[in-house]
Amino acid sequence: MTLRFFALAAMAGLSVAAAGPLAAETVRYGATLSGFAQVPPNEGAGTGTVEATLDSETNAFTYTITYSGLTGPAVAAHFHGPAAADANAPPVIGMKDTASPISGSAVLTAAQVEDLKAGRWYFNVHTKDNPGGEIRGQIVAQ
């Protein structure tokens, strides 16, 4: 049937290109971190940003997080999911070094990629004064 389709298309003067594999794409993600975005919110002065990319072919997720103005040193920092902006979730990727700036990478599972694409991941930084998280931001495609 495929050959017949191409033969009919050629007789009709149509150009038909063979479909090949989709090209890999790098998608940018980001977030603005604040105490207001925590669940529940806090009034801390801390702020930060997340800049990340996802390679659609390899599922390689690369990130850089910067923050400042916390009530004390960061004691933990994580990507969490899946969760909407008004909910909490368990950590998905933990940071070994929590000093700003934080950089790293991970290879995500297919389920993690789907949650990330759907906006169901967030990043937060925890301190001694705010063990549930001092600043947070929902990760979204840029």
Side-chain angles (χ1 to χ4, degrees):
M1 183 164 166
T2 302
L3 290 176
R4 184 174 181 205
F5 170 78
F6 283 111
L8 290 173
M11 286 191 303
L14 299 175
S15 175
V16 180
L22 294 176
E25 179 182 22
T26 299
V27 181
R28 294 188 180 283
Y29 289 88
T32 299
L33 307 175
S34 71
F36 179 74
Q38 277 297 139
V39 178
N42 68 56
E43 296 180 11
T47 60
T49 60
V50 175
E51 295 178 356
T53 59
L54 176 69
D55 182 303
S56 66
E57 184 176 339
T58 64
N59 290 348
F61 182 64
T62 304
Y63 50 85
T64 300
I65 299 102
T66 58
Y67 64 84
S68 62
L70 302 182
T71 58
V75 296
H78 312 94
F79 286 97
H80 294 256
D86 61 351
N88 291 314
V92 178
I93 302 171
M95 305 297 112
K96 293 180 182 177
D97 181 7
T98 59
S100 181
I102 303 168
S103 295
S105 63
V107 176
L108 306 184
T109 66
Q112 289 171 332
V113 168
E114 290 308 311
D115 287 335
L116 177 66
K117 287 180 177 179
R120 295 188 295 255
W121 271 29
Y122 65 90
F123 187 85
N124 72 346
V125 181
H126 308 259
T127 61
K128 181 180 174 187
D129 289 348
N130 292 283
E134 185 159 333
I135 56 175
R136 170 181 167 158
Q138 203 74 16
I139 309 298
V140 295
Q142 303 286 290

